[in-house]
């Protein structure tokens, strides 16, 4: 694949708007792992293709590099100052899909939305329905993070980290020429979104004036402030389900229906995303120590934020409210979506889109 090939010619992307497709969800007959995938739980069975609205789109790839110490080198060797430890640098590609590319930089209003999926390593497909519910006057940029979807999939766990994923985001923005945008992160993607705007604020610490370029606003949707907190609260919710019904064979599906996606059947976009999920950098075990922290005192003001969750989300109200304390301003809105859980976009798409449209429009100028 050519590196940084950018956008391909625009082609129509036809689909029927759908929040739910009748794809039965069968609980896998495996021992439940200790860690849960933030964006949806356990991998469902094979999914089906789904179609979306009449929106033009371009596909492309962005070249990125990762420098890391291979995992076959032991921590003891790294600590031994007398022993030379080599790092390696590898080149990879990230797949991106840009909806309504003709609007990417067309106006000072209706800035594009850059979307970060969750997981880790559950690719962007489950968020594509956003195209149907957000204003048709905006471009929307999706990309599959390294290790999943149509992007490269390094087999070494040391090739991955939150910091490296933020590096990749910066490369994608530069490759696509995006200088003014709104940032949206779902679940784990919200963690990446926060770490990006924090990095930018600290990098711009010496600027005297705020600029209306760069990230205009950020949405943290069902994003946990602390992995330990969300794991503890998830276990408490599972314990409640066990008390009401101790049938282990139905536990995962009951949890899914109550706290992850409250649809009768697993929505097709989510099924398809799991079908293309990564197998190396995955679930909360790889980010188990993450807790959001405030930027340095010298940091520039971070952009305005919306932290949102579903009423029945396993990412609790407390876990969302804590985001207020790590921004260096008070422009953080907190919203709870009635009747929703972790995947509000797939449960109540119209309401979800209205909330996003209102927030982004407020911060376009």
């Amino acid at each position: 694949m050519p590196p940084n090939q950018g956008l391909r010619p625009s082609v129509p992307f036809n689909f029927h708007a759908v929040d739910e497709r009748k794809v039965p969800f069968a609980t896998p007959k495996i021992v439940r792992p200790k860690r849960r995938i933030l964006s949806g739980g356990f991998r469902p069975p094979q999914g089906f293709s789904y179609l979306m609205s009449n929106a033009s789109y371009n596909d492309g790839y962005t070249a990125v590099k990762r420098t890391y110490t291979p995992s076959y080198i032991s921590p003891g060797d790294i600590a031994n100052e007398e022993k030379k430890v080599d790092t390696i640098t590898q080149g990879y590609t990230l797949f991106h899909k840009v909806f309504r590319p003709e609007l990417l930089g067309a106006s000072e209003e209706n800035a594009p939305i850059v979307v970060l999926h969750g997981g880790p390593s559950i690719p962007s497909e489950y968020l594509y329905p956003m195209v149907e519910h957000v204003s048709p006057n905006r471009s929307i940029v999706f990309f599959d993070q390294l290790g999943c979807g149509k992007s490269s999939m390094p087999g070494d766990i040391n090739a991955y980290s939150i910091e490296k994923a933020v590096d990749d985001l910066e490369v994608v923005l530069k490759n696509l020429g995006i200088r003014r945008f709104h940032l949206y992160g779902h679940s784990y993607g919200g963690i990446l979104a926060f770490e990006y705007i924090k990095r930018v604020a600290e990098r711009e610490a010496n600027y005297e004036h705020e600029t209306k370029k760069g990230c205009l606003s950020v949405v943290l949707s069902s994003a946990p402030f602390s992995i330990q907190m969300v794991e503890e609260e998830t276990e408490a919710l599972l314990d409640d389900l066990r008390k009401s019904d101790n049938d282990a064979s139905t536990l995962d599906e009951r949890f899914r229906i109550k706290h992850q996606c409250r649809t009768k059947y697993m929505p097709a976009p989510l099924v398809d995303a799991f079908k293309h999920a990564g197998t190396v950098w995955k679930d909360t075990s790889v980010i188990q120590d993450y807790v959001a922290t405030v930027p340095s005192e010298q940091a520039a003001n971070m952009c305005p934020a919306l932290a949102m969750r579903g009423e029945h989300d396993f990412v609790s109200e407390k876990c969302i409210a804590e985001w207020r304390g790590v921004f260096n301003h008070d422009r953080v809105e907190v919203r709870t979506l009635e009747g929703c859980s972790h995947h509000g976009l797939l449960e109540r798409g119209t309401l979800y889109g209205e909330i996003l449209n209102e927030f982004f429009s407020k911060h376009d100028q």
Side-chain angles (χ1 to χ4, degrees):
M1 300 173 187
N4 290 324
Q5 68 184 46
L7 301 178
R8 293 177 179 173
S10 179
V11 295
F13 192 64
N14 299 314
F15 81 130
H16 303 291
V18 60
D19 283 346
E20 174 182 329
R21 178 168 179 154
K22 293 187 177 181
V23 180
F25 178 81
T27 302
K29 295 181 179 180
I30 57 176
V31 177
R32 188 174 66 86
K34 293 182 179 180
R35 307 289 183 177
R36 186 168 291 270
I37 298 169
L38 282 177
S39 290
F42 304 100
R43 286 181 175 79
Q46 294 255 329
F48 299 85
S49 299
Y50 58 96
L51 299 174
M52 288 171 57
S53 73
N54 295 321
S56 61
Y57 78 98
N58 285 328
D59 289 349
Y61 290 87
T62 294
V64 296
K65 290 183 179 180
R66 291 285 176 95
T67 299
Y68 60 94
T69 302
S71 58
Y72 58 78
I73 297 177
S74 70
D77 289 339
I78 296 174
N80 186 349
E81 296 181 0
E82 296 181 358
K83 190 167 185 176
K84 183 179 179 182
V85 176
D86 292 328
T87 59
I88 61 174
T89 298
Q90 298 280 1
Y92 303 107
T93 55
L94 303 179
F95 172 79
H96 59 254
K97 185 182 288 290
V98 182
F99 287 91
R100 307 185 190 102
E102 66 277 6
L103 301 176
L104 199 54
S107 173
E108 284 298 308
E109 298 181 355
N110 298 315
I113 304 166
V114 177
V115 176
L116 299 174
H117 65 72
S121 294
I122 306 300
S124 298
E125 290 157 298
Y126 75 96
L127 295 172
Y128 287 172
M130 187 184 298
V131 177
E132 183 69 15
H133 299 294
V134 170
S135 168
N137 297 318
R138 292 187 191 276
S139 179
I140 307 180
V141 178
F142 300 89
F143 75 94
D144 292 341
Q145 296 156 29
L146 196 70
C148 67
K150 296 181 181 179
S151 293
S152 299
M153 298 187 182
D156 194 321
I157 189 68
N158 287 356
Y160 303 87
S161 71
I162 290 175
E163 182 179 4
K164 291 181 176 73
V166 175
D167 292 342
D168 291 347
L169 170 59
E170 295 202 270
V171 176
V172 170
L173 292 171
K174 183 177 180 180
N175 181 42
L176 294 177
I178 300 173
R179 301 181 61 191
R180 185 175 177 276
F181 60 97
H182 300 284
L183 189 58
Y184 167 98
H186 178 259
S187 199
Y188 165 70
I191 291 174
L192 297 184
F194 174 79
E195 291 301 321
Y196 169 79
I197 62 172
K198 176 182 172 181
R199 175 188 290 188
V200 171
E202 292 180 332
R203 190 164 59 208
E204 298 181 348
N206 297 323
Y207 285 103
E208 296 182 0
H209 304 289
E210 293 187 20
T211 175
K212 274 300 180 182
K213 290 186 177 180
C215 188
L216 304 177
S217 72
V218 64
V219 172
L220 310 178
S221 179
S222 296
F225 161 85
S226 160
I227 296 302
Q228 181 179 344
M229 181 185 296
V230 76
E231 284 188 336
E232 291 173 351
E233 293 174 344
T234 296
E235 284 305 314
L237 294 172
L238 286 166
D239 285 342
D240 289 342
L241 290 174
R242 292 187 189 102
K243 290 175 184 177
S244 62
D245 182 349
N246 201 32
D247 184 354
S249 68
T250 63
L251 180 62
D252 293 340
E253 173 66 351
R254 287 185 285 126
F255 186 88
R256 194 276 295 176
I257 291 175
K258 189 165 186 179
H259 299 295
Q260 291 175 333
C261 192
R262 295 168 68 87
T263 56
K264 184 176 180 180
Y265 300 98
M266 195 74 157
L270 193 54
V271 173
D272 285 352
F274 275 115
K275 182 180 176 182
H276 303 121
T279 59
V280 179
W281 177 253
K282 62 175 185 175
D283 68 55
T284 52
S285 63
V286 298
I287 53 172
Q288 59 185 328
D289 297 326
Y290 180 81
V291 181
T293 59
V294 297
S296 65
E297 292 184 1
Q298 295 76 30
N301 281 339
M302 302 165 81
C303 62
L306 168 63
M308 58 194 292
R309 64 178 288 271
E311 177 185 3
H312 306 284
D313 204 330
F314 64 86
V315 179
S316 69
E317 184 175 0
K318 179 182 179 182
C319 205
I320 290 294
E322 290 288 343
W323 284 113
R324 282 195 171 114
V326 293
F327 281 79
N328 56 5
H329 56 68
D330 60 1
R331 297 174 296 166
V332 181
E333 300 178 32
V334 175
R335 294 284 299 267
T336 297
L337 281 67
E338 184 178 356
C340 295
S341 59
H342 197 63
H343 286 282
L345 173 64
L346 302 176
E347 295 164 323
R348 299 189 64 187
T350 300
L351 172 64
Y352 200 91
E354 289 172 353
I355 292 173
L356 293 183
N357 285 330
E358 178 185 358
F359 180 75
F360 291 142
S361 296
K362 188 190 310 182
H363 298 291
D364 268 326
Q365 298 298 327

